[in-house]
Every structure is written in C-alpha cells, then in structure tokens.
Amino acid sequence: MVSQNKFSSGLESGNFVLNSDPVNRAWCAVEQQRQINPNAEPLYNEIIQPENQIIIAFGTPPSSLEGQEGLVSSKYFPHFEFLCNKSNPVFYINEAAITLFQSHYDDLLLLKNKLVENSKSKTPPLIIITGQYVGGIVATLFTLWLLEGFNVLKTKRPLCVTFSSPFVGDEHLRKCVLEFSTWKSCFLHVVSDQDHTPKLFMSRNTFGAYKPFGTFLLCSTSGSATSEDPDFISEQFVTANSLSAQTQDPNLGFPYGHILEDLKRKALCNVYKSIGGERDPLEASIITQLLAVGVVSQQQSPDTNNLVGKMKKHETKLLIQKMKNSDNDKRLNDMKICMANLEWYKKDSKRQNIGYYDRYREKGNESDINVNGYKKKLMNYWEDSVTEVENKPQMEGAHFRVRWLWGGTNYRRMVEPLHIADYYKDGGKNYISDGKRPKHFILLEEWLKKKDKPQEVPSKAKRESVGASLNEDSCFWAHVEEARILCTLVKNGSVEEKERAPQELKIFEAYVYGSLKNYALSPEIFLEKSSFMQWLKEYKGVVEQPYSSLLLDFMKERNHEAYQKGEFIFP
C-alpha cells in the first residue's frame, strides 16, 4: 500500500513555496518594476539584494497578447537552437513573445554576458529572473537562454519566478527543456484560478498546441498546491473556474501580493482537511490538492473522477520512473562487477603468457565463456548509455560526457578487443572497412578525441604506468588481424594483391611504431603467444631481404623489454 504522505507533496510544497524567500522577493521586484518603470522602458530592472542575490525584473510593455496565440518555428531563431536534439529537432514558440525578445536582443545579450561572468566568480550570486504577464514570458525565454552559458555542475542555477505568465511554447519545447535534467527545477510559475491572463493562449481552439514546463504554484481562494503534471495544468487552464476568472487590465497586473499573504495565513492556520472514506490514500491526497487550488468542490462529479484518474496515472508513472532509477543504480553496480571480472581475466591471461585478446579468441575453457557473458552485458549497457547521451541536446550531452567519458573509454579499450576477437573468429576479414564496428564504440572514440588533445611526447607518468595500461586504440587487434591476412596475400594472393599487400604492411609498421613511440600500446602485445608476435614472425618471412625498419630494429635490439618498464626513450 502506498502511503498518503508519499503523494501529499503538492500541498506541502505549495505551503513551502508560499513562504519561500525567493518568491516573495520576486513579487516585490515585480511591483517595484511596475512603479518606477510602468512602460517597461528599459525592458528590465536590475536589483542588487543583500545576501549576494541579483534580481532581474522584466516589465510589461503597454501592449496586449490578447488574440496573439500564433506559434513560430525555432529554426527562425538560432539563439535557441542549443535546445534542440535528435528527437526534437525543432519546436514552436509564441510569435508575439519571441518577436518582443528579438526586438530587445542587444540589451538582453549584454545582460546575459554580465550574469554569466558573475556566475564564474568565487562567490557566485543567486540570480532570480522574474516578471508578470508579458514580463513573465520574457523572463522564461531569457532564463532558458541564460542557462546556455551556465556550467550548472559548478555554479548556482538561476531561478525563474513568473506571475500571470501564459505558456511559452509547444510540446516539443517542453520535451527539449526536460532533456536538460537539472533545468526543470529552475522554473516556478505562480498562477491563480481568478487570473485570466495565464489562459490567453489556452482557448478551446488552441488546446494542446501549448504545453507547460517547470513547476506551477496553483492558487485559489481555498488554498494552493504545486504541480508539474503538464496534462493536469493544461486542462486546469482551459476548464477550471473559467467563468469565475476575473477580467482585468493585464498591464496593471493581478494582485498576487494579496493572494500570497492570504494563502500564507491559511497555511499557518492549517485549514486543509484530508479526504478519507473509501478512497485509497493516493486518491484522497489528489482530491485534497484539487480542493486546495479550487479545481473541484466537496461535491464530486464524473469530471472530477476523470481528472483524479488522470492525476493518479501521472503519479503512478512518477513512482515507476523512480523504481526504474533504482534499477539503473543496480545495473550500474552490475557493470562495475563485470569490469572487475574482466580485469581479473586480463591479469590471469598475462600469467599464462598470453594476452586476454588471444586467450578469448581461442576460447579454450569455461572462464572464456563467462567472459563472453560479461562482454554482452557491458555492451548492452553502454549502447543504451551512449544512445541516451547522443540524443541529449549538445550542451547537456557535453557535460554528461565529461562525467562518464573516462569510464566509457576504459570500457571501450577493454571490451572492443573481445568483440573484434569474435568477429575474426567467425571468419571476418576487415572489421573497420566492412562497417561492422558498433556505433557506440565509434562515438566514444570521437568524443574522447574532441576532449583530449594527443601529447606529442609521452609524460613520465604515462611511461611509468604503461605496464598496467590497455591499448589506446581499441581497434589495434583488428589492425593486427588484417596485417596477418596481408602476409598471407603476399604469399598466395593475386598479382594485384601481391603488389598492394607489402605497401599496406609498411603502413601498419609505421602505425605500430608511432603508437609505441607515444607509449599507447600495452606491453601485452609482446607476450610470446600474442597475435602481434605471430604477425612479426610471419612478416619477417615474407618481406624482401635485406630489410630494415624502425619497428624491426626496435624489436631486434630487444628495446621492448625497456619499453615494458617505461624506461625506453625513443629518438
């Protein structure tokens, strides 16, 4: 049985938000902006607060958005392209709002750059972006744009608090914002069932075109509650108390100061009563919230039961997602165990004077079969993880990659050789050219190259740790396999193949020597039973004599013994 407390957070959060300092300071800033700058020229007012806070209050120009519910594609506004991703390559924004934003672009750009620089200081301020009605829409758009310049992992996130703000964009915009996992909590929208302006774009004709994102503080004369359920919020804007919504001049602003004070008093008096009876705790909690925001009355109706059913479904989905997150944590722990088992397998293979690649390729005992199971689990996990990151917006994906790219690189260098071994064991001829290389290996390699620039000279630390390293090029063994095939072609190939193969073998030689020079190859390639040592023996048998090269001289002079200790210095 799910406890009622688990799903009563809407009321509790509502009470908490009502009494929070940022919301009250945001409203004070909105009123101050209206008093000193009623025509919103300039568009915003910057207020420096004590306790290291900056409040940017956007005003409402003397124009109305009434009847201007038209949407326009984001492709016409490149400043917001960073929000797009593969699943949602385009979204739609209210045309009147984005036009207003564009008309003040130069001033807003200066403000954005200033706030981004402030966020990089040793003691970054808390930045609150606020506005009412049109100012609320501009505040939302500006906050989205501002977040592009913030490293949300290292600094305080800005908080956007709006009042009376209509929705900004469509379902695709909502999904784009949700892809930034830390951004949803940056937006708080305060609305009242008595306020007409938040519903401007939510007529019956446009229902479904606009979708909300962020947290909404839903206020009524009965109380308040918070919600993030987009379907419930959308329906509330169209149907709930539409007849009782007051008609007011939106430029004068709805008096949220009085509403907030009244609701705070009611919260202190604990006027809410839980609904019991035969309903389960989840339904009782939902009805309590609906009563608090004035959506339903004590007398139930079919419409009420339908709404409760939808909200119950939404809360259940959240619980399922939480359970999935728990499963993901368990899965991550399982992957760590798989990697630890592969590390043990690698060390055990070395003790047998054969690298783990060649031992797995031969699959001579039960432990090799177990390794195949570890490989499959790891590949499934990382394929899913890379796909998730690839579908994220560019900036969010970049932050995410930095966090786990080291783990992904270690996985790629450990596991791709096993995948290559299976490919050639099954008769494959050219792993890379045949297009058989899994996409997630390619992406992990590309992301690492973008992040790390190659060193011209290996550091002392890199040389000294080479004994425990993996091959930096996870396709090294594929190149070795293909070099062995080339040796066969030199002997038994066609006339054309016999001419081509020696040249390609020299290219492979240069590749190996260059990798050694950068200490980018594991000393395991020099183990007696390794495929590389077998290739070297075959190569010496097919190359025309006398023949000398940097690689052959390196091996002939047994410099690989000093290399294994990190002591060889290449000329």
Side-chain angles (χ1 to χ4, degrees):
M1 178 67 71
V2 179
S3 68
Q4 181 171 343
N5 289 336
K6 190 173 186 64
F7 293 97
S8 63
S9 59
L11 288 172
E12 294 167 357
S13 298
N15 292 339
F16 175 78
V17 170
L18 280 172
N19 291 279
S20 67
D21 182 69
V23 170
N24 289 282
R25 291 199 178 192
W27 176 250
C28 290
V30 167
E31 289 194 311
Q32 182 179 337
Q33 160 75 13
R34 185 182 298 114
Q35 292 168 5
I36 66 176
N37 186 16
N39 293 324
E41 289 294 340
L43 187 60
Y44 65 88
N45 184 34
E46 181 177 350
I47 304 170
I48 307 297
Q49 295 277 330
E51 293 93 35
N52 199 23
Q53 292 184 2
I54 297 176
I55 300 180
I56 307 297
F58 285 95
T60 295
S63 61
S64 174
L65 293 178
E66 193 85 42
Q68 299 191 54
E69 63 267 14
L71 291 160
V72 63
S73 171
S74 60
K75 66 182 180 181
Y76 298 113
F77 304 99
H79 314 305
F80 291 93
E81 280 186 348
F82 66 91
L83 288 168
C84 298
N85 54 61
K86 286 193 174 182
S87 301
N88 296 280
V90 66
F91 55 85
Y92 289 82
I93 306 177
N94 177 263
E95 185 173 8
I98 195 66
T99 301
L100 176 63
F101 185 91
Q102 289 289 100
S103 67
H104 291 80
Y105 174 77
D106 291 340
D107 290 338
L108 294 177
L109 179 60
L110 290 174
L111 177 61
K112 175 188 177 184
N113 292 338
K114 177 182 176 181
L115 295 178
V116 169
E117 285 303 311
N118 287 338
S119 74
K120 297 176 182 178
S121 65
K122 292 183 179 179
T123 55
L126 170 63
I127 299 172
I128 300 174
I129 316 295
T130 189
Q132 184 174 15
Y133 183 40
V134 177
I137 292 183
V138 177
T140 299
L141 291 173
F142 180 76
T143 303
L144 285 172
W145 192 38
L146 179 64
L147 281 165
E148 180 197 16
F150 271 57
N151 185 342
V152 293
L153 301 177
K154 296 182 179 180
T155 190
K156 295 178 182 177
R157 284 168 283 173
L159 175 63
C160 177
V161 183
T162 71
F163 303 88
S164 298
S165 176
F167 296 163
V168 175
D170 69 345
E171 171 71 1
H172 295 290
L173 173 62
R174 186 186 74 84
K175 289 181 177 179
C176 287
V177 175
L178 292 182
E179 285 293 335
F180 293 85
S181 57
T182 58
W183 285 17
K184 183 173 67 172
S185 60
C186 294
F187 296 89
L188 174 66
H189 309 288
V190 183
V191 296
S192 168
D193 67 337
Q194 301 296 309
D195 185 3
H196 171 69
T197 52
K199 305 170 185 171
L200 284 180
F201 306 148
M202 297 302 293
S203 67
R204 290 289 183 183
N205 293 331
T206 60
F207 180 62
Y210 284 86
K211 285 292 183 180
F213 61 85
T215 301
F216 279 72
L217 177 62
L218 306 169
C219 304
S220 76
T221 55
S222 303
S224 66
T226 59
S227 177
E228 297 177 358
D229 181 350
D231 294 326
F232 164 64
I233 295 169
S234 297
E235 288 197 14
Q236 153 77 356
F237 270 46
V238 173
T239 60
N241 296 307
S242 58
L243 294 178
S244 64
Q246 297 180 7
T247 301
Q248 76 278 347
D249 182 352
N251 295 295
L252 297 178
F254 194 81
Y256 279 93
H258 298 304
I259 291 178
L260 294 175
E261 287 301 319
D262 182 55
L263 291 176
K264 280 193 284 184
R265 286 194 295 270
K266 289 182 177 180
L268 291 172
C269 294
N270 193 24
V271 299
Y272 305 127
K273 296 181 180 179
S274 296
I275 305 297
E278 297 179 356
R279 294 184 180 273
D280 65 55
L282 175 55
E283 288 184 2
S285 177
I286 290 172
I287 294 175
T288 304
Q289 294 184 49
L290 295 178
L291 283 169
V293 298
V295 175
V296 301
S297 63
Q298 290 283 355
Q299 189 172 5
Q300 304 300 304
S301 67
D303 288 340
T304 298
N305 292 330
N306 183 44
L307 184 56
V308 170
K310 288 183 177 180
M311 292 186 68
K312 184 176 179 180
K313 183 178 180 181
H314 173 72
E315 295 286 0
T316 303
K317 285 171 62 177
L318 293 179
L319 178 61
I320 293 172
Q321 184 58 49
K322 186 174 182 180
M323 294 170 64
K324 285 183 178 179
N325 291 339
S326 177
D327 289 341
N328 288 340
D329 292 341
K330 181 179 182 299
R331 193 181 179 198
L332 177 60
N333 188 59
D334 289 343
M335 295 309 103
K336 291 178 180 178
I337 294 173
C338 287
M339 284 296 292
N341 285 326
L342 290 184
E343 290 284 357
W344 173 88
Y345 181 77
K346 178 176 180 289
K347 291 179 181 178
D348 187 62
S349 300
K350 187 176 180 180
R351 284 194 292 268
Q352 299 181 34
N353 205 28
I354 184 173
Y356 80 102
Y357 168 81
D358 289 286
R359 179 181 173 183
Y360 177 77
R361 195 180 190 287
E362 294 177 4
K363 291 182 182 173
N365 56 52
E366 185 176 347
S367 63
D368 305 321
I369 298 174
N370 293 336
V371 167
N372 185 49
Y374 303 143
K375 174 183 81 79
K376 288 181 178 179
K377 287 181 180 180
L378 285 162
M379 287 187 66
N380 288 336
Y381 174 81
W382 279 99
E383 282 175 352
D384 292 344
S385 297
V386 170
T387 299
E388 178 185 351
V389 174
E390 186 188 16
N391 288 332
K392 284 183 176 291
Q394 184 175 2
M395 186 179 66
E396 178 81 352
H399 288 315
F400 193 59
R401 289 173 209 146
V402 170
R403 294 204 302 271
W404 62 232
L405 190 53
W406 182 87
T409 299
N410 195 45
Y411 150 78
R412 174 175 59 85
R413 291 172 176 173
M414 174 68 82
V415 173
E416 188 168 15
L418 302 177
H419 187 68
I420 290 170
D422 282 333
Y423 172 82
Y424 286 99
K425 178 79 170 180
D426 293 338
K429 299 296 183 182
N430 198 317
Y431 175 73
I432 298 174
S433 300
D434 284 352
K436 300 297 184 181
R437 190 183 187 196
K439 182 180 179 181
H440 75 289
F441 287 136
I442 298 173
L443 289 174
L444 284 170
E445 184 175 10
E446 288 178 353
W447 294 339
L448 181 67
K449 288 179 179 178
K450 290 179 181 178
K451 178 181 176 294
D452 292 342
K453 294 182 179 180
Q455 297 176 331
E456 294 184 4
V457 179
S459 65
K460 181 180 179 182
K462 184 177 183 180
R463 295 199 308 270
E464 291 177 347
S465 62
V466 70
S469 67
L470 293 161
N471 295 329
E472 290 186 8
D473 182 359
S474 54
C475 290
F476 173 78
W477 291 109
H479 297 307
V480 172
E481 294 281 2
E482 286 152 24
R484 296 189 69 181
I485 293 172
L486 289 172
C487 287
T488 302
L489 292 179
V490 172
K491 287 183 176 181
N492 305 317
S494 64
V495 174
E496 181 182 349
E497 289 171 336
K498 288 181 178 180
E499 291 180 356
R500 172 177 55 84
Q503 299 302 317
E504 293 186 9
L505 283 167
K506 289 180 181 179
I507 293 172
F508 174 69
E509 262 197 276
Y511 155 76
V512 174
Y513 187 79
S515 299
L516 289 170
K517 193 172 182 179
N518 196 36
Y519 273 81
L521 293 178
S522 167
E524 288 185 10
I525 70 169
F526 302 123
L527 292 172
E528 182 181 354
K529 300 177 184 178
S530 81
S531 293
F532 175 76
M533 296 302 286
Q534 294 300 314
W535 165 81
L536 188 64
K537 183 177 180 181
E538 293 164 1
Y539 184 52
K540 291 177 180 177
V542 299
V543 69
E544 293 183 4
Q545 298 296 338
Y547 177 76
S548 177
S549 69
L550 291 172
L551 178 61
L552 293 185
D553 291 344
F554 174 85
M555 297 300 298
K556 181 179 179 181
E557 296 168 9
R558 306 193 66 82
N559 290 327
H560 59 283
E561 295 176 357
Y563 176 92
Q564 296 179 59
K565 302 174 184 177
E567 297 174 353
F568 184 75
I569 306 298
F570 287 83

